[in-house]
Amino acid sequence: MNLNLLHKSFFIVKRICNVRHLYLTKSYLNFAVVNLNEKKENDALEYTSEDLSTITPYFPESFNLAAYVNSSETLQNLVHLNVNLSKIEKKPSIAEKILKLDFEKDIKRGLIFIKDFVNADDIGNFLTKNPLILCEDVEHLEVRVNYLKSKQFKQHEISRIITNNPFWLMFSTIRIDRRLGFYQEKFELSGNEVRLLATKQPRLITYNLHHIQTNSFVIKEEMGFEDDEIKQLILDKPRLWMMNQKTLLERFNYIHNVIKIPHKTILQFPHILLCRNFKVKQRHTFLEKLGRAQYNPTIENFVPINALVELTDIEFCKKYAKCHVDDFNMFLKTM
Amino acid sequence: MVKHINAALAYKTLNGLICVYKPPRVPVRQVQHTIVTNICRDLNALPDRPQEKRVEIIGATNAPMTVKLVPNYADDPLVCGPRYTHDDFRCSWATHLGLFTSGVLLLGLNEGTRLTYQINVARPTRAYKVHGQLGKATDTYFWNGKTIERSTFNHVTRAKIDRIVAHMQSAHQKTMFELSGLHMDSQTAYDLASQGVIRPANSKLPIIYGLKCVHFEPPNFTLEVQAVNEYEKYLWTLIHDLGVQLKTSAYCTGLQCIRQGKFTLDHALLRKHWQLDHLIDNMDSCRQLIEENEQLLRPKSAHLSV
């Protein structure tokens, strides 16, 4: 290419785009593609009549998606769907895959498919959690939904499963089948109970199975629940199996060995195991100080065990501790 | 309580000292993290500034171009992340409290980090409630250690414990004047001592100004300690030494800081109240307290004032 011509194009671009710091070597790469019709060799500062809107300044690779969002229709559409791009960009490998997608060609079909199962309000959250579902084949997703239908999950159950666990559809039918089988066998559940479990806490099915095994050990051997009690527990509060086993044991230890609540009562309010230990501790020691820590329903002045976790502090003080909340706050400052 | 209508205004008020109640077995760093996270959460929930616009000039360059004002997607919180994050806050403590200590903790936010430094250098006294138990000694001097000794404590009475405690206090005050670098028999040392107790020059040596048994119910007892430069383990050993001098053994069962300078438990904010509104209120009251007591930050003499 004629060097003079190149020089000229360089200066024109410099004027129009107001790009200050372009090196000639770099500009060669950027502007070599520009098709120049003009043959006149003239002063570089002269006005030109050709269309230069296709020329852009050099654009380096960016660490975040915000740099691309103004020029990318796909990303803008995702923002309109309430997808949190700032969370997606935390994983650069995923962000790279999302950038390469085209809305009309790649995303639209998957989105229309997902829309049948996920509420319009939840779709942003869904895609934020699992953006890679847009890269998945729609046929595969159909197969996975059909599998659920073949297992007699109802439509509202399927939509609940998919909404609450965005990763469910990433698992192949073989894996899901194996996992449902695992839960059925491990906890001796009937078909209906497996469906209930999967609908109630869909994240449990796709959870790390090693973690589930450890928590089962903690609940059975260390906490000492019977098999039928465990079954009742998993159907009532499946989230216990997704907790950190150390925390779980610490909470149980406090409730069972310090407050002396028997297994049977815990089974009635398993919610108490989901509450942070310091809250239970605060309220229990306060009641103890007042002489009201009496959790046996057959004796008078009975305080139900769920009083330790439910209600706000004000309501708790009024209803069970029978005192003003300021007294409770004062007590907390002696702990 | 003032309800804030704008996140930017609320952020600007967050410069100063806060006084919180640190629960036991929660590290100070976690307290800092929780508070900053809560502030960020509350600030992000407040009404935000309007989204920025950007000017777009489009069209062919050889024809009349159109100028448009379009919303700037890059400024959307969904794209660039939440408006306030941990990086927007600096947070420092005035004095560190150990893991097992609970009680009054002074934290500086943003510009307030300077105040925490000044308070630290001014060395105000701190008051502790140290709970101990007789009859057992552990290898860490605290309840979490292994038991290394058991002994009887029937001979310990209130009078005996008071005598030992008074003796320990006077021994500490004597060393304090020895550490001042003056000859103990000189006139200068006498003049210094006649004006009252002095504060330490450096932050290395723990000094106890007051020691008192406030609760005695064998085997449990509680000491109230007024000290400067103390640390968790030092107070544990204090209980252990007390046990030895009482001809039995003792270990520490709990530690609570009830006062730092002028900041008492009444000012301290409980864990459930670590929210934006409460924190801003607390910051106001702390600012008032500092304004009323200038010597908290800039002590005028070596003598102990608080």
Side-chain angles (χ1 to χ4, degrees), chain A residues 30-46:
Chain A
N30 275 340
F31 307 124
V33 284
V34 180
N35 183 19
L36 296 170
N37 302 324
E38 212 178 30
K39 289 280 180 277
K40 275 188 288 173
E41 288 191 21
N42 228 327
D43 186 24
L45 290 173
E46 198 183 301

Side-chain angles (χ1 to χ4, degrees), chain B residues 281-306:
Chain B
D281 275 358
N282 187 267
M283 201 172 270
D284 270 347
S285 63
C286 284
R287 188 176 298 127
Q288 252 176 30
L289 197 77
I290 290 175
E291 275 166 14
E292 284 164 16
N293 302 283
E294 188 95 350
Q295 80 278 9
L296 263 182
L297 302 180
R298 284 170 283 276
K300 293 201 174 63
S301 73
H303 293 281
L304 210 60
S305 48
V306 184

Side-chain angles (χ1 to χ4, degrees), chain A residues 162-211:
Chain A
I162 294 173
T163 315
N164 285 11
N165 185 356
F167 292 97
W168 183 288
L169 288 180
M170 302 299 279
F171 283 65
S172 68
T173 49
I174 301 164
R175 279 183 83 187
I176 290 284
D177 189 57
R178 210 161 44 205
R179 276 157 182 266
L180 287 176
F182 166 82
Y183 284 99
Q184 184 157 27
E185 209 171 298
K186 174 114 188 151
F187 301 103
E188 290 164 2
L189 303 175
S190 68
N192 272 336
E193 282 165 344
V194 173
R195 275 188 284 275
L196 176 72
L197 180 66
T199 322
K200 189 159 189 176
Q201 187 54 276
R203 270 164 59 219
L204 186 77
I205 307 297
T206 55
Y207 213 72
N208 181 356
L209 285 186
H210 180 249
H211 190 101

Side-chain angles (χ1 to χ4, degrees), chain B residues 84 150 228 264 269 279:
Chain B
Y84 297 94
R150 280 186 189 281
V228 172
T264 57
L269 208 56
L279 285 169

Side-chain angles (χ1 to χ4, degrees), chain A residues 299-315:
Chain A
I299 309 175
E300 63 200 48
N301 282 335
F302 159 65
V303 174
I305 188 76
N306 53 347
L308 295 177
V309 287
E310 284 166 3
L311 302 179
T312 60
D313 279 346
I314 298 169
E315 286 163 337

Side-chain angles (χ1 to χ4, degrees), chain A residues 6-218:
Chain A
L6 202 87
H7 262 258
K8 182 172 174 279
S9 74
F10 170 52
F11 279 113
I12 292 165
V13 169
K14 191 171 173 183
R15 252 179 52 213
I16 291 172
C17 301
N18 201 12
V19 181
R20 296 263 164 80
H21 305 289
L22 280 177
Y23 300 105
L24 198 62
T25 46
K26 264 190 188 159
S27 72
Y28 181 82
L29 291 172
N30 275 340
F31 307 124
V33 284
V34 180
N35 183 19
L36 296 170
N37 302 324
E38 212 178 30
K39 289 280 180 277
K40 275 188 288 173
E41 288 191 21
N42 228 327
D43 186 24
L45 290 173
E46 198 183 301
Y47 285 95
T48 175
S49 59
E50 53 193 290
D51 182 15
L52 295 169
S53 60
T54 50
I55 302 168
T56 55
Y58 172 63
F59 196 72
E61 201 178 333
S62 169
F63 288 107
N64 45 31
L65 294 175
Y68 306 111
V69 73
N70 277 321
S71 45
S72 159
E73 190 110 353
T74 313
L75 292 182
Q76 282 173 17
N77 282 330
L78 287 179
V79 172
H80 290 156
L81 285 170
N82 259 338
V83 178
N84 197 335
L85 295 182
S86 67
K87 280 192 179 160
I88 292 178
E89 78 194 15
K90 295 267 159 60
K91 288 175 187 144
S93 58
I94 293 178
E96 205 172 310
K97 278 183 187 158
I98 296 299
L99 272 178
K100 284 175 188 159
L101 295 178
D102 181 63
F103 194 80
E104 290 296 321
K105 218 166 61 198
D106 309 314
I107 296 184
K108 214 167 186 179
R109 246 189 103 204
L111 214 55
I112 287 168
F113 179 79
I114 295 165
K115 190 192 67 132
D116 293 342
F117 301 101
V118 182
N119 259 344
D121 303 337
D122 299 329
I123 211 153
N125 187 26
F126 180 89
L127 289 178
T128 307
K129 293 241 170 79
N130 185 12
L132 278 187
I133 198 141
L134 299 172
C135 306
E136 198 84 353
D137 228 342
V138 178
E139 280 78 36
H140 285 170
L141 302 184
E142 266 166 14
V143 168
R144 286 161 199 175
V145 168
N146 284 340
Y147 167 79
L148 285 179
K149 277 181 188 155
S150 77
K151 291 287 172 192
Q152 272 121 47
F153 279 93
K154 293 185 191 74
Q155 179 67 24
H156 70 270
E157 288 174 341
I158 296 176
S159 66
R160 189 188 143 85
I161 287 174
I162 294 173
T163 315
N164 285 11
N165 185 356
F167 292 97
W168 183 288
L169 288 180
M170 302 299 279
F171 283 65
S172 68
T173 49
I174 301 164
R175 279 183 83 187
I176 290 284
D177 189 57
R178 210 161 44 205
R179 276 157 182 266
L180 287 176
F182 166 82
Y183 284 99
Q184 184 157 27
E185 209 171 298
K186 174 114 188 151
F187 301 103
E188 290 164 2
L189 303 175
S190 68
N192 272 336
E193 282 165 344
V194 173
R195 275 188 284 275
L196 176 72
L197 180 66
T199 322
K200 189 159 189 176
Q201 187 54 276
R203 270 164 59 219
L204 186 77
I205 307 297
T206 55
Y207 213 72
N208 181 356
L209 285 186
H210 180 249
H211 190 101
I212 304 290
Q213 296 271 27
T214 331
N215 273 25
S216 294
F217 180 83
V218 169

